[in-house]
Amino acid sequence: MCIRGTLLRNEPMSRHTSLKVGGPADLYAVPQDADDLQQLVRQLHERQIPWLAIGRGYNLLVRDGGIRGAVISLERFNRIESLDEVTIRAGAGAENLTVVRFGQALGLGGIGFIAGIPGTIGGAIRMNAGAYGEGILQRTVCMSLLRDGTVREFCIDELDYGYRRLDLLPGDLVLAATLRLEPRDPAETEEEIRKDTELRRSKHNVGHPSAGSFFKNPPGQAAWKLIDAAGMRGCRVGGALVSEVHSNFLVNAGGATAADFLALSARVKQAVSAACGITLEEEVRIVGDEP
């Protein structure tokens, strides 16, 4: 198998996830561009090798057995360009804050709510990331998907999405998104960025590796309040800990394994269910094999 980008074998996923856990991927590929990606996917299909795409490894928990098949990183798909007076195009590997800053330099805004969310546009699109009642897909006009080996463009009204979700077909891969912003004074955007990053720093500075919010907020509820009410703040399994700073953050307090996180997650869900009858759902994406 050959690509123009980078191809590694038996690569530990703990090196590529924000939680710093995860066993090895059989193959870890970083394609150079869209043509290289299509060639890679074609080779994987011919060899019947399954694959999984990631951004910078946020919002991802890889089990300790690792990933059979290939992991494809889109970190080099980071181009951002202006299309017209209010529309920009961002590659899946572009960092969220970088995209906000790009719009700001053009006198455009409206997506400041993703400034403090770590990760890339591809990941933000896949989970409809947002804050303060807004989601990135509300600003998305269309997106490029790799579907069945072919790059295709989809308008947002052709896709099914909602709170923290975008429903795509198995194997679909987000390559880029076109975002419609609005004219905004760069100073106003700067204030939005400052407030968002300071708020997240004060509430989310948990001091250990994390994947951000571990559980989705149930309708009309805040997951952290439910976890607190169930007495789970500070609960620990091995090296995995319910943060004392923000109880919807499960953190790697040192030497954690994916099994620790999975066991702690199950314990939190059981406690919340027993306390208030609500079943929490993980916001993090859980992939890979057991040891």
Side-chain angles (χ1 to χ4, degrees):
M1 185 172 296
C2 179
I3 63 172
R4 287 183 286 110
T6 301
L7 185 63
L8 305 174
R9 299 181 184 277
N10 296 317
E11 177 68 4
M13 288 304 296
S14 57
R15 297 176 180 173
H16 304 285
T17 62
S18 62
L19 280 170
K20 307 301 180 186
V21 300
D26 293 342
L27 297 170
Y28 186 86
V30 188
Q32 189 67 35
D33 51 35
D35 289 340
D36 202 24
L37 172 64
Q38 287 180 278
Q39 178 65 22
L40 169 64
V41 171
R42 189 176 301 116
Q43 293 178 71
L44 294 172
H45 178 72
E46 290 171 353
R47 293 166 172 76
Q48 297 185 325
I49 298 174
W51 56 268
L52 167 74
I54 67 170
R56 296 297 176 90
Y58 293 98
N59 203 51
L60 183 68
L61 175 59
V62 179
R63 294 185 178 93
D64 296 314
I67 296 175
R68 305 287 70 76
V71 172
I72 301 174
S73 168
L74 298 181
E75 62 185 70
R76 294 179 183 169
F77 287 66
N78 56 4
R79 182 179 179 185
I80 313 170
E81 59 183 329
S82 173
L83 300 183
D84 58 36
E85 291 83 358
V86 295
T87 308
I88 66 173
R89 181 81 163 173
E95 295 279 355
N96 292 332
L97 178 57
T98 303
V99 176
V100 176
R101 291 287 191 196
F102 184 90
Q104 180 189 26
L106 298 173
L108 299 174
I111 56 171
F113 57 85
I114 67 167
I117 299 176
T120 60
I121 284 294
I125 291 291
R126 284 302 301 250
M127 65 171 293
N128 193 13
Y132 322 120
E134 298 184 85
I136 190 64
L137 293 182
Q138 293 172 256
R139 292 286 181 176
T140 303
V141 178
C142 58
M143 65 185 73
S144 290
L145 298 179
L146 181 67
R147 175 173 286 182
D148 296 328
T150 302
V151 177
R152 298 174 54 189
E153 196 78 5
F154 289 84
C155 295
I156 191 63
D157 58 10
E158 298 179 76
L159 302 168
D160 183 24
Y161 66 94
Y163 172 71
R164 299 296 178 267
R165 68 174 179 87
L166 169 63
D167 295 335
L168 298 175
L169 298 181
D172 280 355
L173 185 52
V174 178
L175 302 185
T178 299
L179 307 173
R180 180 175 290 120
L181 309 184
E182 60 189 36
R184 185 162 299 183
D185 187 327
E188 184 180 346
T189 298
E190 187 65 32
E191 182 64 12
E192 290 178 352
I193 294 172
R194 185 191 65 79
K195 286 183 177 179
D196 187 56
T197 53
E198 284 188 0
L199 179 64
R200 291 180 184 277
R201 189 179 297 115
S202 64
K203 290 187 175 182
H204 300 169
N205 186 16
V206 293
H208 299 286
S210 80
S213 296
F214 202 89
F215 299 100
K216 295 179 181 179
N217 289 325
Q221 302 277 355
W224 74 266
K225 291 184 178 180
L226 299 175
I227 295 168
D228 270 2
M232 296 303 288
R233 184 182 289 258
C235 181
R236 182 167 186 156
V237 174
L241 173 73
V242 178
S243 173
E244 295 278 7
V245 177
H246 192 305
S247 53
N248 196 17
F249 278 50
L250 273 55
V251 302
N252 187 340
T257 64
D260 292 340
F261 279 103
L262 293 170
L264 182 58
S265 174
R267 187 176 297 182
V268 169
K269 291 169 68 174
Q270 183 179 26
V272 169
S273 178
C276 61
I278 294 176
T279 300
L280 292 178
E281 180 182 352
E282 287 88 353
E283 186 169 309
V284 297
R285 186 182 182 191
I286 302 172
V287 300
D289 294 345
E290 297 293 347

